[in-house]
Amino acid sequence: MPASPGLAGKTAIVTGASRGIGLAIAQRLVDEGARVVITARKAEALEAAVAELGGPDKALGIPGRADDAEHQADVVRRAVETFGSIDLLVNNTGINPAYGTLMDLDLDAARKILEVNAVGTLAWTQKVVGAWMKEHGGAIVNVASVAGLRPAPGIAFYGASKALLIHLTEELAVELGPDIRVNAVAPAVVKTRFAEALYTDREEEVAAAYPLKRLGLPHDIAGAVAYLLSDDASWTTGQTLVLDGGLTLSGGV
């Protein structure tokens, strides 16, 4: 595919990108001419992802915990050293270690969810803006969820963290404009390892609630993120693009 004028030659950091949605986003950005710095916890998985993305000329993988401040600083520093800029940031990392009611939720798990899904996103944004975007501009996309738009029984606190992320997106868009755009995407269930518990052994039943009668695929999200990062979305900021196969139209989450 030809390189997009909005992405060619730019550098992106994509967190949580050794597989699933993050890797699909990284691949789409590379396909459109960008270079990517990807993060995840496991070094071996990152090495495989870098090879899939085209090797060290296209991608750099740096293992570490997404909520670790030293890891964040190292990624930002090495991105500039390796590729010369940080024009784009995709805050994709998210966790949901708990399933059940809020009354049964372990509060340490709740704190960890907030630390990674919301506070971590703010931390990555602060570091990237301070190191590059404040002087040069850029575009940021946060990966939220339809669970952040309405009640989501069973994953309620995860949904609350994503609601906070959506609000942070709006606040950051106001604060960082006009030279830095900040948007979000809110997917429904996408067929990844992260979401397997939501559809395994009952995919047809789950998909029946969607007007488009299928679950999402990682490339469905990747294309939307690439658009929001590109110059085609140059008059778009503070928005959350719902990517749900029509699910929320019928009252689902």
Side-chain angles (χ1 to χ4, degrees), residues 15 39-41 62-76 93 95 112 114-117 119-125 127:
T15 67
T39 77
R41 286 176 297 171
I62 305 175
R65 288 187 5 256
D67 59 336
D68 178 65
E70 290 185 6
H71 169 63
Q72 295 162 0
D74 184 48
V75 171
V76 169
T93 298
I95 63 167
K112 186 66 173 179
L114 277 181
E115 186 67 31
V116 174
N117 295 1
V119 178
T121 291
L122 178 57
W124 280 103
T125 301
K127 286 180 173 62

Side-chain angles (χ1 to χ4, degrees), residues 70-193:
E70 290 185 6
H71 169 63
Q72 295 162 0
D74 184 48
V75 171
V76 169
R77 177 183 58 79
R78 292 174 63 184
V80 175
E81 289 177 354
T82 304
F83 294 128
S85 66
I86 309 173
D87 311 288
L88 314 169
L89 171 64
V90 181
N91 287 303
N92 173 66
T93 298
I95 63 167
N96 184 33
Y99 183 89
T101 69
L102 288 172
M103 294 300 96
D104 293 325
L105 179 63
D106 180 84
L107 293 183
D108 285 336
R111 293 184 185 96
K112 186 66 173 179
I113 290 169
L114 277 181
E115 186 67 31
V116 174
N117 295 1
V119 178
T121 291
L122 178 57
W124 280 103
T125 301
Q126 288 177 341
K127 286 180 173 62
V128 167
V129 169
W132 186 264
M133 289 188 184
K134 183 177 182 179
E135 298 297 327
H136 304 276
I140 299 169
V141 173
N142 300 322
V143 179
S145 169
V146 293
L149 300 173
R150 58 188 63 196
I155 56 170
F157 203 79
Y158 170 80
S161 75
K162 293 300 187 175
L164 174 54
L165 181 57
I166 289 168
H167 188 76
L168 277 173
T169 297
E170 296 172 350
E171 295 283 2
L172 287 168
V174 172
E175 184 172 324
L176 297 177
D179 296 323
I180 302 171
R181 297 185 299 104
V182 187
N183 291 289
V185 294
V189 176
V190 178
K191 292 180 65 175
T192 64
R193 192 184 308 173

